[in-house]
Amino acid sequence: MTDCLFCKMVSGEIPPDKVYEDDQVLAFRDINPQAPLHVLVIPKEHIATLNDLDDTHLPLLGRMVQTAAIIAAQEGFDERGYRTVINCNAEAGQSVFHIHLHLLAGRAMHWPPG
Ligand code: 5GP
Ligand code: ZN
């Protein structure tokens, strides 16, 4: 997707503040952090929303979640705790239509989320 912001980060056209990368996923710091640690974990494959997942994507989603857990541990938040969020479409507040898992840590989180 040539007009997708996160695909441009995957290709390197827009260099992200990279935290982790492998052949399937990329993780980088959010430009507008909502917690002391705010990292986005994305698949390298363009998938617009959670509604576009099929069975072939299930290992990829597992890798995204595991990547978030590994980063949380590397940053020292595995015991204190952290939150992972994937927003889907307008009412959830999705603004970039390439799925991304938010990893948030470093402050007390509220529940229910706003
Ligand atoms: P959403 O609202 O779609 O769940 O999350 C999109 C996230 O992407 C937001 O937290 C926003 O701050 C982040 N974001 C938007 N543009 C950029 C950018 O150019 N660079 C980075 N690192 N994050 C971005
Ligand atoms: Zn994309």
Side-chain angles (χ1 to χ4, degrees), residues 32-39 103-107 109:
N32 183 24
Q34 300 301 309
L37 177 70
H38 189 172
V39 167
L103 166 62
L104 299 142
R107 65 169 172 82
M109 303 287 163

Side-chain angles (χ1 to χ4, degrees), residues 10-92:
V10 171
S11 72
E13 184 179 341
I14 299 173
D17 183 1
K18 194 187 305 181
V19 176
Y20 174 84
E21 180 175 19
D22 64 24
D23 59 323
Q24 294 177 51
V25 306
L26 174 68
F28 52 88
R29 295 186 194 279
D30 197 291
I31 201 169
N32 183 24
Q34 300 301 309
L37 177 70
H38 189 172
V39 167
L40 302 176
V41 182
I42 71 169
K44 289 192 166 178
E45 175 183 349
H46 180 86
I47 304 166
T49 80
L50 284 182
N51 296 333
D52 300 299
L53 292 178
D54 62 42
D55 286 354
T56 69
H57 295 128
L58 300 186
L60 182 60
L61 265 287
R63 183 176 289 248
M64 288 168 62
V65 174
Q66 185 186 42
T67 297
I70 290 169
I71 293 168
Q74 284 174 344
E75 301 270 343
F77 294 109
D78 48 338
E79 295 300 327
R80 283 177 62 185
Y82 54 90
R83 181 167 290 172
T84 58
V85 176
I86 302 178
N87 295 319
C88 181
N89 278 339
E91 285 201 355

Side-chain angles (χ1 to χ4, degrees), residues 4 7 46 98:
C4 170
C7 282
H46 180 86
H98 177 135

